[in-house]
Amino acid sequence: MVSPFPSLSEGRISWRPHHLCLLSPPTFPFCWLVCQCVDLYIMNCELLATCSALGYLEGDTYHKDPDCLESVKDLIRYLRHEDETRGVRQQLGAAQILQTDLLPILTQHHQDRPLFDAVIRLMVNLTQPALLCFGSVPKDPCPRHHFLQALDYLQAYKEAFASEKPFGVLSETLYELLQLGWEERQEEDNLLIERILLLVRNILHIPANLDREKSIDDGASVHDQLLWVIHLSGLDDLLLFLASSSAEQQWSLHVLEIISLMFRDQNPKLLAGVGQGHLAQERSTDVAELEVLRQREAAERKTRALQRGHRHSRFGGSYIIQGLKSIGDRDLIFHKGLHNLQNYSSDLGKQPQRVPKHRQAAQELSAQRRSALSVRLFLRDFCSEFLENCYNRLMGSVKGLLLRERAQQHDEVYYMWALAFFMAFNRAASFQPGLVSETLSVRTFHFIEQNLTTYYEMMLTDRKEATSWAHRTHLALKAYQELLAMVNEMDAAPDVAMRESSHIIKNNIFYVMEYRELFLTLFRKFDERHQPRSFLRDLVETTHLFLKMLERFCQSRGNLLVQNKQKKRKKKEKVLNQPVASDNAPCIPGGLEAVWPSLVEQLHCCVQDPELSLDSMVPFDAASEVPVEEQRAAAMVRVQDCLLAGQASQALTLLRSAREVWPEGDVFGSQDIPREEEIQLLKQILYTPLPPIGQPRVEEEEEEEQLQVVQVSEKEFNFLDYLKRFASSAVVRAYTLLLRTYPQNSPHTNHCVAKMLHRLAHDLNMEALLFQLSLFCLFNHLLSDPAAGAYKELVTFAKYILGKFFALAAVNPKVFVELLFWKNTAVVQEMAEGYGSLDGRSSHRPPVWSPEEEAQLQELYLTHKDVEGQDVADTIVAHLKAPRTRKQVICHLVRLGLADSVRDFQRKRTHIVLWTEDQELELQRLFEEFQDSDDVLGHVMKNITAKRSRARIVDKLLALGLVADRRELYKKRQKKLVPSNWPKGEETLRDFCQKDLPEEDLPEEEGEEDGGNREDAEAEQAQGHSARLAESLRHNLYLEGFSAPLLWLQNCLLRVADDREEDGCSSAVPLVPLTEENEEAMENEQFQQLLIKLGVWPPASGQETFWRIPAKLSPTQLRRVAASLSQAEEEKEPLPGLEPKVLGEQGLEEAHQTEHQAQALRALLLAHRKEAGLVFLEAPESGVPGIQKKKRFQMQDEDENNNGPEA
């Protein structure tokens, strides 16, 4: 037989004493080897040899081998490459490598720094949680066995670490590392600090083995022994130092996680009372519980004594129970004694129904227990010192890491646990709100509410991890409860400032709608399959506290205004090849047939005109965010608009310009198209139904998109109206479920349940809402409980509800049937006022179908059910004589038996396909590959494997954090070079511009951060100041020959002012230079400085090319700025020395052309000033042609006089 171990038959392996020392094969029988060293036999031979090379333990001294360090590194390498069964980890755990080798090396050879570092690395790997190794708790038997085996080894590691020596070495090493300053500490030192903290975290994270420990209250469990060892080694003081030191903020999350694991089994209220005379209170609580049990036992003993018969049980006899039928029609025969009659049930002897695993109630994840008194005293002192010196600084640091997303996923649960635990401890110990001021604010309420909402939404969507999300929801709810409890305590404090702070916080949380709707949502979404009973208990207690605070707050104020949000759904109509007129098209009285003959005549004249230029019409919008390639449809619509407006020449020019820009596909005709075919093409464009510009096309298979518009308003708050929101079957069912465990509930929990049910029954007069059979069975059990004297409040409430029920039953006998169903408020009202009393009030009753309507419905259905390409229900609704909705038609078809289910009429919808991990990695790779190109999104859409829409890809890039703003994905355009004397370094263009801008001229994003919008008067004053500063720059520009660009700038400002007055709204307008002279002016340094002084925005980023007129400048401000650019009388005459120089450089012909353009711009400025009522220059000579007026965001010129050339 070949041995599985290397060189075993030769006897050359020297085993450690704690395993086996094998020197020669014949010395030990093979069967004995199998029995004694079964763990070694299942180990891998290489792994076994590596473990043997670590060293051996002789007595209390460990002798390491020369290859000890290399062996430790080999073990780390084996663990790194283990398979999904974690076989290496299990073999090392079975061989007890950590207990017999690693811990002795750690304690006795910690001076060897390389070996110490390697051992710490190996321990961190070996002690990492089993959930982290396997990902989740496996469901299959074989992987689950491996998981449980690894968990057993971890629990053995925890017992081995419950010794003072290992933690003493760790504490001493950590102390020496923390003594080093930041300039002396190396990267290896920081890594060692982090690994020590991770090792402590892993050891504390290991769950307790309840079957093995069988610990009781006031007993020392393994976790308690570990906490006591941490205290003796001084590691708790180092944790407090790390939490309080501002220089060690990088370890904040590690420290918070360790502290949360230290206190995971503790109750903060009980811990705060240890050693302060509260032991008598604990004793009295235990005595009260024992007294209840004694009363119940005595009552049961007395009942059994009274029920004991005088005769022997053998002669009990048989009895007939009248009124209770057996399987047949006869009365039931009872074969036992009369004293057993009250225990009779029809379910006796039946097999109990098995509850499926996916429907079973959720189990409690953790149970609180009382540790040994010495441990509790140490933990109490630790909490007090932590609150005084560390809490505010540590929580602020952790909150900053969470907001900056520098923490790992779900690290916020430790923040919420610490908030709930230490605020409860502070409230029970000394109640000093200053110690927890960091987390006592409205922002903390908002943070907790956001996470709480996210958690329960993920619990509903992520079904596989619903239990984990439910646990996080519970932690967030506990934090929210403690925040409310702290505010409630502050409200009753003697300090006036503290009460004012409480009033401000309550005013904020009661005003916002989300805080009020939170509890209603949690009750409606409560699922006992994923959320344990403790969550329901905390939810009931928190709701009770919130309602009590809200009721008291409403009573202290005459009226309370709160925020109200309403969602209105708007249906986005589909564009399904329907003739839709353009928004800009005028109404044609005679139709298109009356328009076309006149257009044909104009088109024949224009086609024969050889002087028809293409330069005056630009078919695309260069300032638009939509790429030029995607503006082809908009150009087609503009051609149609020109035809409808009777502008034949402009339509023909625009068609030819579009043909030059988009020659592919011959959409606008071929390059050599004959003239007659070109006219016929324009006719087809005129008669084709095109959507207006800006309206997207929706595919036929897409369903109507519903847009939700949230309207925020204020309303006066009514507490009873808010309380009516809780009058639902979901809320009552949750309270009934918690009331079933009334013997195990605390007195406060039972009071919260009784108070809420009393509010619904008495305050709202809805006693019938509680008329439910399961609740009545619970009342019956409560009233027959021998210890009912301990639950006087519940007994009184049960008698009140039963009295109301029998009083109503005397009037309405049908309430006995209503016991079988959960009810809503409408049914409750009908039970009290009579059935049918709401028929006249309700408008939601379905209409009655007459026989004629049913016959028509059947005929239409049979006619259109087999027609493809149309929706049957919509077709029927369109052809019915009586108005009916789609839902009413579908429901009646199902009721008549013409259709099997409502699902047969579902519209075709676009399926939302989730992104897989491989697709996300591919998207990230493509983005990194093309992020430096001009069209990032276009290249990604072209090369991605799974084709998706542009919006889906943009949303996914934003979700992955690859881009911060969707504007980064716009197609880049070539940007003009920046002048050489522009500010360099880290100072951007916008920063340079804002140095000379007043505060009111900043962009809207920065203005909002600095306090919101300013008043118009202040803006006008600042704008006037900016105009005065620009006087010298304007003068210099006139002298340098920039009169035409300045007039062009005036024209733009006045045009934008007119547009804003007409539209009533404003947005940033780009300054698009169309002539070469204007482009040169926009690149001139002095001209750019003038723009800055006037408040014009420079290009904000690499995605923008043009300067923009801000949206916040009013028409009055724009006209004042334009007036400041006017040329004075003395500046009209050119300087004698300057004119020859300019003429010499540009030439006489260019100067004449420039002067002609300047006169044209002066003419347009003159017209605008006449309309605005401002002081204007003298009119130029007659005959100066007008200048076309341009629309915002367009480069198309529309001549007001129909005969002006381009400026």
Side-chain angles (χ1 to χ4, degrees):
M1 180 177 179
V2 180
S3 173
F5 304 127
S7 307
L8 182 61
S9 58
E10 291 82 1
R12 288 180 292 189
I13 295 181
S14 178
W15 306 100
R16 292 167 290 171
H18 59 273
H19 283 158
L20 177 65
C21 186
L22 180 59
L23 299 178
S24 59
T27 308
F28 300 94
F30 189 75
C31 60
W32 183 88
L33 180 65
V34 172
C35 297
Q36 298 295 325
C37 301
V38 63
D39 290 339
L40 299 179
Y41 251 99
I42 64 175
M43 289 183 68
N44 181 274
C45 56
E46 296 181 0
L47 192 61
L48 183 60
T50 304
C51 295
S52 302
L54 290 173
Y56 62 91
L57 186 65
E58 185 176 6
D60 293 336
T61 305
Y62 190 87
H63 301 276
K64 65 174 183 176
D65 284 356
D67 297 333
C68 182
L69 177 59
E70 297 301 326
S71 300
V72 172
K73 293 181 179 179
D74 289 340
L75 291 178
I76 295 174
R77 192 177 303 110
Y78 291 149
L79 287 172
R80 187 184 302 124
H81 299 288
E82 63 180 348
D83 56 3
E84 60 183 9
T85 62
R86 310 303 177 197
V88 177
R89 193 176 306 273
Q90 295 189 49
Q91 294 178 39
L92 294 179
Q96 299 183 357
I97 296 299
L98 187 140
Q99 295 93 320
T100 56
D101 291 281
L102 299 183
L103 281 179
I105 293 175
L106 179 72
T107 56
Q108 299 181 22
H109 299 279
H110 58 274
Q111 296 86 1
D112 189 352
R113 180 64 181 272
L115 180 60
F116 182 81
D117 292 350
V119 169
I120 292 294
R121 285 181 58 194
L122 181 57
M123 284 184 171
V124 170
N125 200 334
L126 282 175
T127 57
Q128 67 180 357
L131 281 174
L132 190 61
C133 297
F134 290 86
S136 61
V137 179
K139 296 181 179 179
D140 296 336
C142 186
R144 189 177 182 86
H145 170 73
H146 295 315
F147 175 83
L148 296 177
Q149 194 69 35
L151 191 60
D152 289 339
Y153 295 142
L154 287 175
Q155 292 167 351
Y157 295 160
K158 187 173 184 177
E159 294 180 5
F161 264 96
S163 174
E164 189 176 351
K165 290 183 179 180
F167 274 96
V169 173
L170 294 177
S171 178
E172 182 180 353
T173 306
L174 186 60
Y175 176 77
E176 293 175 355
L177 294 173
L178 293 177
Q179 290 295 315
L180 300 175
W182 65 270
E183 67 279 356
E184 301 175 358
R185 196 180 298 175
Q186 304 296 325
E187 184 65 25
E188 294 80 6
D189 299 332
N190 288 328
L191 286 176
L192 185 56
I193 293 175
E194 185 176 9
R195 286 169 183 160
I196 291 176
L197 295 176
L198 287 176
L199 179 61
V200 176
R201 189 275 312 268
N202 291 346
I203 296 300
L204 290 172
H205 188 274
I206 298 173
N209 191 340
L210 301 179
D211 296 334
R212 184 187 305 173
E213 294 183 16
K214 296 181 180 179
S215 58
I216 59 174
D217 285 346
D218 298 324
S221 63
V222 176
H223 194 75
D224 294 340
Q225 297 174 18
L226 203 62
L227 294 178
W228 188 247
V229 166
I230 289 176
H231 174 57
L232 294 179
S233 63
L235 187 60
D236 55 336
D237 296 329
L238 294 178
L239 293 175
L240 291 173
F241 168 74
L242 289 173
S244 60
S245 176
S246 58
E248 308 292 345
Q249 291 187 4
Q250 54 183 331
W251 318 117
S252 299
L253 281 169
H254 293 290
V255 173
L256 187 62
E257 190 174 357
I258 291 174
I259 292 175
S260 67
L261 294 172
M262 288 173 59
F263 291 89
R264 67 181 179 187
D265 297 335
Q266 305 298 323
N267 188 326
K269 297 179 181 179
L270 297 179
L271 196 63
V274 175
Q276 297 180 0
H278 289 269
L279 290 177
Q281 183 179 358
E282 294 180 8
R283 248 185 255 110
S284 63
T285 304
D286 295 341
V287 169
E289 294 177 358
L290 290 175
E291 181 63 25
V292 170
L293 295 176
R294 190 192 66 80
Q295 290 178 3
R296 184 175 287 114
E297 184 180 2
E300 291 177 356
R301 190 184 303 114
K302 183 178 179 180
T303 304
R304 286 196 303 268
L306 293 175
Q307 291 177 353
R308 189 177 297 119
H310 297 288
R311 301 176 62 185
H312 196 272
S313 59
R314 197 177 307 161
F315 304 101
S318 299
Y319 303 90
I320 296 177
I321 305 177
Q322 294 181 356
L324 184 61
K325 300 297 182 180
S326 62
I327 298 177
D329 295 335
R330 299 181 179 180
D331 293 335
L332 180 67
I333 301 176
F334 188 67
H335 296 282
K336 295 183 179 181
L338 290 177
H339 59 278
N340 294 322
L341 181 59
Q342 66 175 5
N343 297 327
Y344 172 76
S345 174
S346 301
D347 297 331
L348 291 176
K350 295 181 180 179
Q351 186 71 20
Q353 186 178 6
R354 179 181 173 273
V355 181
K357 184 177 295 184
H358 67 279
R359 294 184 182 178
Q360 294 178 0
Q363 301 295 327
E364 300 290 343
L365 296 179
S366 61
Q368 295 181 348
R369 57 177 297 275
R370 278 206 310 263
S371 302
L373 181 60
S374 57
V375 176
R376 283 188 288 161
L377 289 172
F378 146 63
L379 293 178
R380 184 207 62 189
D381 297 338
F382 183 91
C383 285
S384 301
E385 192 170 353
F386 180 81
L387 280 172
E388 292 177 0
N389 303 317
C390 311
Y391 179 84
N392 287 330
R393 197 213 63 81
L394 180 66
M395 296 298 281
S397 175
V398 172
K399 182 71 172 295
L401 293 175
L402 294 175
L403 294 179
R404 293 193 297 270
E405 297 181 356
R406 295 181 58 185
Q408 295 182 359
Q409 193 176 17
H410 307 314
D411 275 349
E412 69 275 1
V413 296
Y414 298 107
Y415 175 84
M416 290 184 287
W417 175 89
L419 187 149
F421 186 89
F422 289 104
M423 290 186 79
F425 181 87
N426 179 35
R427 189 165 48 87
S430 58
F431 184 64
Q432 300 180 27
L435 299 180
V436 292
S437 59
E438 175 63 32
T439 55
L440 197 59
S441 63
V442 179
R443 288 179 298 175
T444 308
F445 272 98
H446 177 67
F447 179 77
I448 299 299
E449 187 271 335
Q450 272 192 326
N451 284 278
L452 186 56
T453 305
T454 303
Y455 291 155
Y456 84 74
E457 287 179 351
M458 291 301 300
M459 185 186 67
L460 299 177
T461 55
D462 190 4
R463 289 294 182 179
K464 293 183 179 180
E465 299 294 332
T467 304
S468 301
W469 290 111
H471 179 60
R472 299 185 187 105
T473 307
H474 193 185
L475 286 175
L477 180 63
K478 287 290 293 181
Y480 197 81
Q481 180 184 11
E482 287 304 324
L483 282 172
L484 288 175
M486 182 62 74
V487 173
N488 188 44
E489 291 287 340
M490 291 171 58
D491 200 23
D495 190 2
V496 178
M498 197 177 298
R499 291 200 302 269
E500 285 294 328
S501 301
S502 170
H503 182 79
I504 294 174
I505 294 176
K506 289 193 299 181
N507 199 11
N508 280 275
I509 62 175
F510 292 153
Y511 176 79
V512 179
M513 181 180 177
E514 284 75 12
Y515 297 124
R516 302 193 307 272
E517 298 292 324
L518 180 63
F519 301 102
L520 287 165
T521 306
L522 292 178
F523 272 118
R524 291 168 183 166
K525 303 299 182 182
F526 174 74
D527 189 356
E528 59 178 333
R529 298 173 300 173
H530 305 300
Q531 295 169 310
R533 197 66 56 88
S534 58
F535 173 83
L536 182 58
R537 181 184 65 247
D538 290 331
L539 177 58
V540 168
E541 293 179 358
T542 310
T543 305
H544 171 78
L545 178 60
F546 184 82
L547 290 176
K548 184 174 67 174
M549 294 172 59
L550 181 57
E551 184 178 19
R552 191 185 307 142
F553 191 76
C554 293
Q555 292 174 356
S556 63
R557 298 169 60 101
N559 57 345
L560 176 63
L561 290 179
V562 296
Q563 186 186 68
N564 184 37
K565 292 183 180 180
Q566 293 181 350
K567 291 184 178 180
K568 291 188 177 182
R569 294 185 177 180
K570 293 184 178 180
K571 289 188 176 180
K572 192 173 183 179
E573 297 181 356
K574 297 185 292 183
V575 182
L576 300 177
N577 298 328
Q578 300 173 0
V580 181
S582 179
D583 289 343
N584 301 327
C587 181
I588 306 300
L592 299 177
E593 291 78 5
V595 176
W596 178 245
S598 60
L599 288 175
V600 171
E601 298 177 0
Q602 299 181 30
L603 288 174
H604 279 292
C605 298
C606 295
V607 166
Q608 298 174 0
D609 186 6
E611 298 180 358
L612 189 66
S613 175
L614 301 180
D615 298 334
S616 59
M617 300 294 290
V618 180
F620 59 89
D621 185 2
S624 175
E625 297 174 349
V626 182
V628 177
E629 292 79 5
E630 299 179 10
Q631 297 187 32
R632 186 169 55 184
M636 185 77 73
V637 175
R638 290 170 60 189
V639 172
Q640 187 186 60
D641 291 344
C642 292
L643 292 173
L644 291 173
Q647 301 172 355
S649 60
Q650 294 187 12
L652 183 60
T653 305
L654 189 59
L655 178 68
R656 293 179 177 178
S657 301
R659 186 185 306 154
E660 296 291 334
V661 177
W662 297 289
E664 61 275 0
D666 294 340
V667 178
F668 297 94
S670 59
Q671 296 292 338
D672 53 351
I673 184 174
R675 296 178 180 179
E676 292 298 330
E677 293 184 7
E678 192 173 28
I679 295 176
Q680 291 299 322
L681 178 60
L682 289 172
K683 182 178 180 181
Q684 293 179 7
I685 294 176
L686 175 65
Y687 282 89
T688 302
L690 297 176
I693 299 176
Q695 178 175 345
R697 291 180 176 268
V698 184
E699 299 296 334
E700 292 185 4
E701 63 269 12
E702 289 186 1
E703 67 173 315
E704 295 179 358
E705 184 182 357
Q706 291 186 348
L707 303 177
Q708 289 189 351
V709 180
V710 179
Q711 293 183 350
V712 182
S713 59
E714 286 187 346
K715 69 174 184 178
E716 188 171 350
F717 182 75
N718 190 324
F719 181 76
L720 288 180
D721 291 342
Y722 175 69
L723 192 60
K724 289 178 183 178
R725 305 284 303 280
F726 289 89
S728 64
S729 58
V731 177
V732 177
R733 191 183 294 116
Y735 275 86
T736 304
L737 182 63
L738 184 59
L739 193 58
R740 290 178 186 173
T741 57
Y742 73 91
Q744 291 81 32
N745 295 341
S746 64
H748 178 64
T749 303
N750 288 332
H751 167 71
C752 295
V753 175
K755 180 63 177 177
M756 185 64 186
L757 296 180
H758 182 266
R759 288 180 185 273
L760 298 179
H762 181 267
D763 297 351
L764 299 180
N765 296 322
M766 291 187 182
E767 298 89 353
L769 191 65
L770 306 181
F771 294 168
Q772 219 282 330
L773 191 58
S774 59
L775 186 59
F776 277 22
C777 291
L778 187 58
F779 287 163
N780 182 37
H781 180 70
L782 174 64
L783 296 175
S784 60
D785 191 350
Y791 314 106
K792 294 181 179 180
E793 188 177 14
L794 293 178
V795 170
T796 304
F797 179 73
K799 291 180 178 180
Y800 168 75
I801 294 297
L802 292 175
K804 292 291 184 179
F805 171 77
F806 289 114
L808 183 61
V811 181
N812 182 13
K814 295 181 181 179
V815 294
F816 291 100
V817 182
E818 297 285 359
L819 283 174
L820 302 175
F821 309 100
W822 296 100
K823 292 164 282 294
N824 54 23
T825 55
V827 176
V828 168
Q829 191 171 355
E830 285 190 333
M831 289 172 61
E833 300 179 2
Y835 295 101
S837 59
L838 298 180
D839 291 346
R841 310 178 197 174
S842 178
S843 61
H844 301 285
R845 298 288 181 180
V848 180
W849 291 73
S850 63
E852 294 79 7
E853 292 174 347
E854 290 184 351
Q856 185 189 11
L857 176 65
Q858 184 174 0
E859 180 183 357
L860 289 173
Y861 176 73
L862 296 177
T863 304
H864 298 282
K865 69 174 183 177
D866 297 328
V867 180
E868 296 187 2
Q870 69 177 5
D871 187 83
V872 182
D874 291 341
T875 306
I876 294 175
V877 171
H879 289 80
L880 281 175
K881 297 179 180 179
R884 293 283 189 268
T885 63
R886 173 187 171 88
K887 183 177 180 181
Q888 292 171 356
V889 169
I890 294 175
C891 293
H892 205 67
L893 286 173
V894 175
R895 191 177 298 112
L896 292 176
L898 298 175
D900 296 332
S901 174
V902 178
R903 297 181 180 178
D904 298 341
F905 298 94
Q906 288 183 350
R907 292 190 178 100
K908 297 180 181 179
R909 60 182 69 218
T910 304
H911 298 284
I912 299 177
V913 183
L914 299 179
W915 290 78
T916 62
E917 185 177 358
D918 296 337
Q919 292 173 351
E920 291 181 355
L921 294 176
E922 182 189 11
L923 178 62
Q924 185 175 1
R925 178 182 59 79
L926 290 174
F927 175 78
E928 293 174 353
E929 180 179 352
F930 298 109
Q931 64 179 350
D932 296 331
S933 63
D934 293 340
D935 189 8
V936 183
L937 193 57
H939 288 90
V940 171
M941 293 181 64
K942 185 183 300 181
N943 293 277
I944 196 167
T945 305
K947 300 300 181 183
R948 299 177 187 270
S949 64
R950 178 183 297 268
R952 298 290 182 193
I953 295 179
V954 171
D955 293 341
K956 196 61 183 177
L957 290 173
L958 291 171
L960 293 176
L962 298 177
V963 293
D965 189 358
R966 62 180 66 242
R967 289 188 298 177
E968 299 179 16
L969 300 173
Y970 294 160
K971 187 175 181 180
K972 298 179 182 177
R973 303 180 181 90
Q974 296 296 330
K975 192 172 181 180
K976 300 293 188 288
L977 296 177
V978 181
S980 59
N981 54 358
W982 199 259
K984 298 181 180 180
E986 298 180 356
E987 187 177 16
T988 62
L989 177 62
R990 184 174 287 267
D991 297 333
F992 176 76
C993 299
Q994 291 172 356
K995 286 181 179 179
D996 297 327
L997 280 176
E999 193 171 351
E1000 290 77 9
D1001 291 332
L1002 293 178
E1004 286 183 356
E1005 293 83 356
E1006 300 174 14
E1008 289 175 0
E1009 296 177 3
D1010 294 336
N1013 298 328
R1014 303 293 193 268
E1015 296 294 336
D1016 288 340
E1018 297 179 1
E1020 292 176 7
Q1021 181 181 0
Q1023 187 63 39
H1025 178 64
S1026 177
R1028 288 192 299 271
L1029 293 177
E1031 182 67 25
S1032 59
L1033 289 173
R1034 181 193 60 77
H1035 181 74
N1036 295 334
L1037 289 172
Y1038 268 115
L1039 295 180
E1040 293 181 7
F1042 286 102
S1043 58
L1046 288 173
L1047 288 174
W1048 166 74
L1049 179 60
Q1050 277 184 320
N1051 176 36
C1052 293
L1053 294 173
L1054 292 173
R1055 185 182 66 243
V1056 172
D1058 294 341
D1059 290 344
R1060 291 182 179 179
E1061 280 189 347
E1062 294 174 3
D1063 300 340
C1065 58
S1066 59
S1067 59
V1069 180
L1071 290 174
V1072 183
L1074 300 180
T1075 62
E1076 184 178 357
E1077 185 178 11
N1078 292 342
E1079 288 184 2
E1080 293 177 358
M1082 294 298 292
E1083 296 176 2
N1084 184 272
E1085 179 186 359
Q1086 289 190 2
F1087 198 87
Q1088 290 176 347
Q1089 291 181 1
L1090 176 64
L1091 292 176
I1092 293 171
K1093 296 298 182 182
L1094 297 179
V1096 181
W1097 290 353
S1101 61
Q1103 303 293 336
E1104 294 181 1
T1105 304
F1106 304 107
W1107 290 65
R1108 296 178 183 270
I1109 301 174
K1112 65 187 306 178
L1113 293 181
S1114 64
T1116 305
Q1117 294 173 282
L1118 290 173
R1119 290 193 176 94
R1120 288 186 180 180
V1121 174
S1124 66
L1125 296 176
S1126 301
Q1127 185 181 8
E1129 293 293 335
E1130 59 272 11
E1131 293 173 356
K1132 291 183 181 180
E1133 297 295 333
L1135 294 179
L1138 184 63
E1139 184 177 1
K1141 180 179 180 181
V1142 174
L1143 292 177
E1145 293 178 357
Q1146 297 182 354
L1148 185 59
E1149 184 176 355
E1150 285 187 58
H1152 180 70
Q1153 183 180 2
T1154 302
E1155 185 63 21
H1156 183 73
Q1157 292 180 352
Q1159 291 178 358
L1161 287 171
R1162 290 193 189 99
L1164 181 62
L1165 178 62
L1166 179 65
H1168 279 296
R1169 290 195 171 187
K1170 286 182 178 179
E1171 294 176 2
L1174 299 176
V1175 179
F1176 52 88
L1177 299 174
E1178 292 183 2
E1181 296 179 351
S1182 60
V1184 177
I1187 298 178
Q1188 300 165 353
K1189 178 180 178 181
K1190 306 187 187 95
K1191 294 287 184 181
R1192 271 182 297 168
F1193 297 108
Q1194 294 185 2
M1195 296 180 64
Q1196 173 188 358
D1197 298 316
E1198 296 178 1
D1199 186 9
E1200 294 180 354
N1201 300 322
N1202 295 329
N1203 59 354
E1206 180 191 1

